[in-house]
């Protein structure tokens, strides 16, 4: 009988001990919270059961090793509960949308708002959190407190557990090294799918960068900014810069897409509206792309950890009026030093927004065009006499709830997916919902051009539209955006850029005939935005690079 009790005790470890709790939770997360990873590995050619089991063991051993360092009686339960809930959430989002969790994704989470968060909530998410997070957390919290233990013994135990976990991971890796090295080399996204180690690493990396980054005001750029002299009687420039959201170039009919997603813009004269077809983005998420595309350095040299002024600061320093209007989660710090507002925040005396534009939670992008005259009238008159750069930041095609981004009277592609769980909809319905958002952007841009036409008595008006990044719609099992740039698919980095340059305007008069049309299929990127805008409005500074001004080669 005593032998039986000893055997049972061996199979039923003392769950009051912090290290026991760590390893049981590591086994739970390593096996169950990584189901999307195991599914992807299982579907790879040549992936054998022995390799899959070794990978499971490696993840569990590595997780247990790292968490062994947290195995302190007053700390371990809270840390494990947070990790269990995080791992459950990641299991859902990685499995549902094919995303990866890296430092950029952490920044996206921090900078999101309640509206975007709501779009991600679902009953499947709640069920996953309950099964993989809440239930083991309740079990853990019900464990009695561990008996007192000497500090030296606790430290040695934790370090010993850490060493054993690392040793087990290394031995397992060596046992399948050839397959492991080949798999990780050819499938770089896998390293960002290992839960919860991906969360521990990414959050830590962002925290270290935040603490070690420079403090104080942003670095001044373009301190010598000024405007080129205008000819007598020439009108000041008005550039409408529309920053799109989650629009991918391949779904614009202006770029050759088979569906008529741009019916309104297609009606405009081809010598006035030019869509560039080979444009790449700075990043795959708003938090990465926006600061980069408004900086002079370009993607290769831009450092997000070194705060600096941006295009809007330089334009304002040159003497222009600048206004940022936002219909999304904010300007990511770009508009902090220039006049800015949100669509729902109307200027004093403006008429209320027309019925149907807003539903109390969000507004359609067309609300950006409301009360523009009143907003402009509130700007500095002296600056307006020199010119105006008006930036509109769209909600655009932000997912996964694409059906919310297009009004009821503008849904030409049916049936559309009416859920935020895209993987549960047939892919053609997902594409329908997304294409409806592109048609909605098309109407916004066409009506924006109509409004610009009403300003020609006062300004020399033009428009530049460019999206911040693209979107995956189920290609290779991926949805949404935010993949690490080095491994991101073209659907997330190939973005639309559209110029509207009226032939009667002063800018068109300075350009060589047919030169803009020749830009259609020339490679371009967000690196060109800063310098093209400066060239367009006649602003110059030491940071201006003519070689990155898309219009410089077209000027007479």
């Amino acid at each position: 009988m005593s032998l039986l009790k000893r055997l049972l005790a061996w199979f039923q470890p003392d769950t009051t001990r912090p290290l026991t709790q760590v390893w049981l939770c590591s086994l739970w997360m390593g096996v169950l919270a990584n189901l999307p990873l195991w599914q992807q590995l299982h579907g790879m050619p040549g992936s054998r059961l022995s390799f899959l089991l070794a990978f499971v063991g490696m993840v569990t051993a590595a997780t247990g090793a790292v968490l062994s360092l947290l195995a302190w009686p007053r700390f371990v339960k809270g840390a494990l509960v947070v990790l269990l809930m995080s791992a459950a959430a990641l299991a859902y989002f990685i499995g549902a949308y094919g995303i990866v969790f890296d430092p950029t994704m952490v920044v996206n989470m921090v900078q999101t708002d309640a509206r975007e968060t709501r779009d991600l909530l679902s009953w499947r998410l709640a069920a996953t959190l309950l099964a993989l997070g809440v239930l083991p957390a309740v079990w853990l919290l019900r464990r009695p407190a561990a008996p007192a233990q000497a500090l030296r013994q606790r430290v040695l135990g934790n370090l010993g557990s850490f060493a054993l976990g690392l040793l087990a991971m290394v031995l397992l890796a060596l046992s399948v090294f050839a397959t492991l090295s080949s798999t990780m080399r050819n499938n770089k996204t896998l390293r960002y799918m290992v839960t919860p180690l991906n969360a521990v690493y990414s959050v830590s990396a962002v925290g270290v960068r935040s603490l070690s980054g420079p403090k104080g005001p942003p670095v001044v750029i373009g301190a010598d900014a000024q405007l080129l002299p205008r000819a007598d009687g020439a009108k000041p420039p008005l550039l409408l810069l529309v920053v799109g959201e989650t629009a991918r170039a391949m779904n614009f009919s202006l770029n050759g897409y088979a569906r008529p997603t741009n019916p309104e813009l297609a009606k405009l004269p081809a010598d006035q509206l030019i869509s560039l077809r080979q444009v790449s983005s700075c990043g795959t998420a708003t938090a990465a792309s926006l600061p980069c595309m408004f900086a002079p350095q370009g993607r290769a040299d831009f450092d997000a950890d070194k705060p600096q002024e941006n295009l809007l600061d330089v334009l304002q320093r040159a003497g222009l009026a600048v206004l940022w209007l936002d219909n999304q989660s904010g300007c990511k710090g770009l508009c902090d030093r220039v006049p800015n507002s949100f669509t729902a925040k109307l200027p004093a005396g403006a008429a209320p927004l027309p019925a149907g534009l807003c539903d109390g939670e969000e507004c359609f992008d067309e609300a950006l065009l409301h009360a523009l005259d009143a907003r402009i009238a509130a700007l500095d008159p002296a600056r307006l006499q020199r010119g105006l750069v008006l930036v509109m930041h769209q909600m655009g095609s932000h997912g996964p709830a694409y059906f919310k981004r297009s009004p009821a009277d503008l849904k030409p592609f049916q049936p559309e997916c009416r859920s935020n769980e895209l993987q549960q909809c047939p892919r053609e319905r997902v594409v329908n919902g997304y294409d409806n958002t592109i048609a909605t952007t098309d109407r916004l841009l066409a009506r924006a051009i109509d409004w610009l036409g009403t300003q020609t008595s006062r300004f020399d008006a033009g428009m530049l539209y460019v999206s911040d990044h693209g979107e995956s719609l189920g290609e290779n099992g991926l949805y949404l955006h935010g993949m690490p740039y080095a491994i991101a698919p073209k659907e997330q980095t190939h973005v639309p850029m559209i110029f509207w340059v009226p032939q009667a305007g002063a800018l068109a008069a300075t350009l060589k005939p047919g030169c803009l049309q020749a830009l259609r299929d020339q490679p371009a990127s967000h690196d060109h935005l800063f310098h093209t805008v400066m060239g367009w409005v006649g602003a110059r500074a030491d940071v201006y690079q003519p070689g990155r001004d898309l219009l410089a080669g077209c000027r007479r």
Side-chain angles (χ1 to χ4, degrees), residues 10-334:
W10 191 85
F11 284 106
Q12 295 179 344
D14 182 1
T15 56
T16 66
R17 299 179 61 217
L19 281 175
T20 301
Q21 296 168 0
V22 159
W23 281 101
L24 289 176
C25 289
S26 297
L27 180 62
W28 178 274
M29 291 184 287
V31 175
L32 297 181
N34 283 284
L35 283 176
L37 174 59
W38 310 143
Q39 290 171 345
Q40 183 156 336
L41 282 174
H42 180 67
M44 290 180 180
S47 180
R48 298 180 179 178
L49 180 61
S50 58
F51 171 67
L52 186 59
L53 292 176
F55 209 129
V56 173
M58 288 167 52
V59 170
T60 301
T63 303
V66 172
L67 298 189
S68 292
L69 302 178
L70 307 179
W72 300 92
R74 296 185 180 181
F75 180 76
V76 66
K77 286 188 178 181
L80 289 176
V81 167
V82 170
L83 288 171
L84 284 167
M85 297 304 297
S86 300
L90 289 174
Y92 171 78
F93 286 113
I94 293 174
Y97 301 113
I99 67 166
V100 296
F101 197 80
D102 65 339
T104 301
M105 191 63 70
V106 175
V107 176
N108 295 337
M109 290 172 55
V110 171
Q111 296 187 1
T112 193
D113 61 8
R115 174 175 55 181
E116 294 178 359
T117 302
R118 266 196 309 271
D119 285 350
L120 295 170
L121 302 180
S122 68
W123 288 111
R124 287 180 180 270
L125 171 59
T128 303
L129 290 175
L130 176 63
L132 296 184
V134 174
L135 292 180
V138 170
W139 172 87
L140 177 66
L141 293 174
R142 290 173 61 88
R143 296 306 94 195
Q149 193 175 18
L151 177 61
R152 182 173 179 274
Q153 187 178 1
R154 179 76 64 190
V155 170
L156 291 176
N158 290 358
L159 291 177
S161 178
F162 173 76
L164 287 174
L166 285 185
L167 178 62
M169 182 192 70
V170 170
L171 292 176
L172 287 167
L174 291 175
S175 70
V176 291
F177 182 76
T179 306
L180 177 66
S181 60
S182 174
T183 300
M184 299 304 291
R185 184 173 59 250
N186 297 325
N187 302 275
K188 296 181 180 180
T189 58
L190 295 179
R191 68 191 67 178
Y192 299 110
M193 296 176 65
V194 178
T195 303
L197 295 180
N198 52 0
V200 173
Y201 163 75
S202 299
V203 172
S204 300
V206 172
V208 170
R209 285 205 313 241
S210 177
L211 293 174
S212 61
K215 310 300 179 186
V219 174
V220 174
I221 63 171
D224 61 337
Q226 58 183 325
L227 296 175
L228 297 175
R230 285 202 315 268
D232 292 340
K235 300 172 186 175
L238 164 55
L239 173 60
L240 173 59
L241 175 57
V242 182
V243 179
E245 168 65 36
T246 320
R248 60 189 211 173
M250 60 193 67
N251 286 61
F252 276 58
S253 55
L254 290 176
N255 296 333
Y257 188 49
R259 286 178 148 188
T261 51
N262 304 126
E264 299 298 323
L265 293 178
K267 298 175 184 177
L268 298 174
D271 59 349
Q272 297 185 23
L273 189 87
I274 291 84
S275 178
L276 276 61
R277 300 170 178 172
Q278 302 297 329
V279 182
S280 57
S281 66
C282 264
T284 61
T286 304
S289 273
L290 271 190
C292 176
M293 62 198 287
F294 278 76
Q297 293 95 337
R299 189 180 71 84
D301 298 318
F302 178 70
D303 187 350
D305 296 326
K306 296 180 179 179
Q308 64 174 18
E309 293 182 343
N310 61 80
L311 173 63
L312 305 184
D313 297 295
V314 177
L315 296 175
Q316 184 167 256
R317 182 173 294 117
L320 295 169
V322 179
L323 175 62
W324 178 287
L325 294 180
D326 208 290
N327 193 40
Q328 214 211 106
S329 58
C331 65
K332 315 304 179 189
L334 295 176

Side-chain angles (χ1 to χ4, degrees), residues 456-470:
T456 54
S457 62
R458 184 181 177 189
F459 293 103
D460 179 37
M463 186 193 75
L464 195 165
Y465 163 82
V466 61
S467 184
D468 59 351
H469 55 79

